Each structure stands twice: as C-alpha cells, then as structure tokens.
C-alpha cells in the first residue's frame, strides 16, 4: 500500500495530520507494508524570500481572526503532543524546503524524508526557525541523515525546482485544493487532519479490498482540519 501525503511545511494542520496519521499507522496490522511519501504543495507560493513574523502574515491575511485561529490550532496541536509557538514563528517561502524533501526521498528513501519533514515542521512551528534559509535547511537535513555537501550544492543550484513546481501543478490538476490530503493507493483521498480512527478505518478498508483481488475502486473525501490557499 502506498500513501502519498500532499502537504506544506507552513501548514499547521499538516503537522497535526501527520501526527494523527502516524498514530493510525502504528495501530495498523499491515504497517510494515505501507510506503509513505510526502508530496509538495504550497499554500503561499508568492511568499517573499525574506522571512517575516508569522503573526504579521496571519493578521494581513485574516485580520483580527488570525490571532484567534493561531490560539485554536495551538490548543489542538497540544492535544497531539505538538508544541506550536506562533509568536516566534516566521512566515517563509517553502519551495526550497519542498525541493529538499524531494531530494531526501529520491536519494535517501522514505525514512529520511519523514525525519526531515518532522524536523522542518518542528523548526518552523516550535523553534521560530526560518525554513527558507539555506543554512537552516542544511542543518535540518544533516540532522535527518543527509550529506551536508550534497545538500549545500543542491540548494545553491536550481536542481529540483522545476520538478517540484510540476508536482504542485499536477496535484492541482488532480483536484487537490487544500492540505493535508492523503491519497491511498491512488484511489482514496482523505482530506484534512482527521482523527486517527478515521485514518485507521481507511487503511483497513483499502487492505481488505486488496485481499479481495482488486474489488471495486471508490473514493472518500473528508474536509475538516485542513488548510487551503
């Protein structure tokens, strides 16, 4: 079974959804046979190269509701064991972070990509790090097990830039308009940071259908706890 997770490093619900999906996967009897791959999506592709306070960005985009939204998602994240500090967080362009995640998956495998994804989310939401900064990205990548020299050269080049943008465009053509979106075996799309029980139910359903030698394709789509451009 293959699970492709479309998400953005700048999306708090993607962090919460990641944690809930991981709990579901840990409870799934066939977890060892599940391949998890993170796919790119940018909520704000026009974000400037120079980072600025996330609270300022939320106020510009959502007005007075921005601060309330931050408090609500912080409380939800706390329930999943995630620390979010919106006062320290910096809004940044996430294209290079997605390039790096693509490199991790292609040259190091899913385990390293997942470790890097976690590090990026924690750095962005919990540590006030500028995840658009090449030095920060290199530090996080080497911490996840990637070669520093390769990462440094990669980020300094344009390698992977077009491919990531193409993947984002393909996601939009597939109808993905909000993140996180979890696509399971190319047949089921679960949108939003659903409860772990909902993820587990879908995993078990897909596994059951596989045992029935390719029983009818279908689709499920949920729409709570997600971020949209």
């Amino acid at each position: 079974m293959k699970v492709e997770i479309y998400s953005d490093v700048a999306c708090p619900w993607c962090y919460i959804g990641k944690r809930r999906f991981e709990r579901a996967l840990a409870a799934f009897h066939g977890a060892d046979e599940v391949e998890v791959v993170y796919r790119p999506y940018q909520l704000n592709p026009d974000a400037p190269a120079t980072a600025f306070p996330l609270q300022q960005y939320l106020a510009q985009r959502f007005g007075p509701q921005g601060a309330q939204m931050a408090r609500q998602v912080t409380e939800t994240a706390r329930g999943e064991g995630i620390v979010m500090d919106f006062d320290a967080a910096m809004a940044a362009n996430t294209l290079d972070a997605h390039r790096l995640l693509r490199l991790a998956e292609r040259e190091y495998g899913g385990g390293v990509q997942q470790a890097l994804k976690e590090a990026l989310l924690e750095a962005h939401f919990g540590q006030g790090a500028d995840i658009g900064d090449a030095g920060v990205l290199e530090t996080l990548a080497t911490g996840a097990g990637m070669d520093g020299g390769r990462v440094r050269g990669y980020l300094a080049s344009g390698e992977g830039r077009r491919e990531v943008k193409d993947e984002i465009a393909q996601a939009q053509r597939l109808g993905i308009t909000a993140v996180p979106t979890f696509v399971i075996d190319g047949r089921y799309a679960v949108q939003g940071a659903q409860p772990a029980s909902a993820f587990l139910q879908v995993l078990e359903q897909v596994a059951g259908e596989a045992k029935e030698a390719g029983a009818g394709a279908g689709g499920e789509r949920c729409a709570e706890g997600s971020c949209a451009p």
Side-chain angles (χ1 to χ4, degrees):
M1 185 187 303
K2 185 172 185 177
V3 180
E4 296 172 279
I5 306 175
Y6 291 84
S7 68
D8 193 2
V9 182
C11 167
W13 287 109
C14 293
Y15 199 176
I16 294 168
K18 177 179 184 294
R19 192 58 51 85
R20 290 175 174 176
F21 176 77
E22 288 170 346
R23 284 202 287 117
L25 191 59
F28 178 54
H29 63 85
D32 291 343
E33 298 177 1
V34 177
E35 177 188 2
V36 178
V37 180
Y38 283 93
R39 301 298 188 198
Y41 195 94
Q42 281 193 287
L43 291 169
N44 184 15
D46 298 322
T50 302
F52 62 101
L54 181 57
Q55 289 282 33
Q56 179 183 331
Y57 168 75
L58 293 176
Q60 290 173 351
R61 182 172 179 185
F62 301 107
Q65 291 184 333
Q68 181 181 354
M69 291 168 58
R71 287 192 296 271
Q72 290 174 340
V73 77
T74 297
E75 185 64 26
T76 301
R78 187 178 296 116
E80 299 295 333
I82 298 170
V83 175
M84 290 189 179
D85 186 352
F86 278 83
D87 290 331
M90 302 293 290
N93 193 296
T94 59
L95 180 61
D96 283 343
H98 286 301
R99 290 174 58 213
L100 201 53
L101 285 164
R102 183 177 187 274
L103 178 70
E105 191 267 329
R106 291 176 68 86
E107 296 192 3
Y108 294 86
V112 171
Q113 190 197 41
Q114 291 165 42
L116 177 59
K117 182 73 171 185
E118 179 72 22
L120 286 164
L121 289 164
E122 182 181 359
H124 177 57
F125 287 107
Q127 301 172 2
D130 176 5
I131 56 170
D133 179 80
V136 170
L137 291 174
E138 182 183 342
T139 297
L140 296 175
T142 55
M146 299 172 70
D147 178 74
R150 171 65 171 130
V151 168
R152 193 159 47 250
Y154 178 84
L155 291 174
S157 72
E159 187 179 352
R161 184 179 297 270
R162 178 181 58 79
E163 289 83 357
V164 166
K165 289 185 175 182
D166 286 347
E167 286 188 34
I168 293 172
Q170 175 64 16
Q172 293 168 340
R173 287 192 292 271
L174 290 173
I176 295 172
T177 59
V179 287
T181 294
F182 301 74
V183 178
I184 304 174
D185 275 353
R187 298 187 294 130
Y188 285 79
V190 180
Q191 184 174 297
Q194 300 299 315
S197 58
F199 287 124
L200 180 58
Q201 181 180 1
V202 176
L203 290 171
E204 290 176 341
Q205 181 176 342
V206 174
E209 291 181 356
K211 289 181 180 179
E212 295 175 2
E220 278 191 22
R221 221 170 164 83
C222 310
E224 247 180 71
S226 62
C227 299

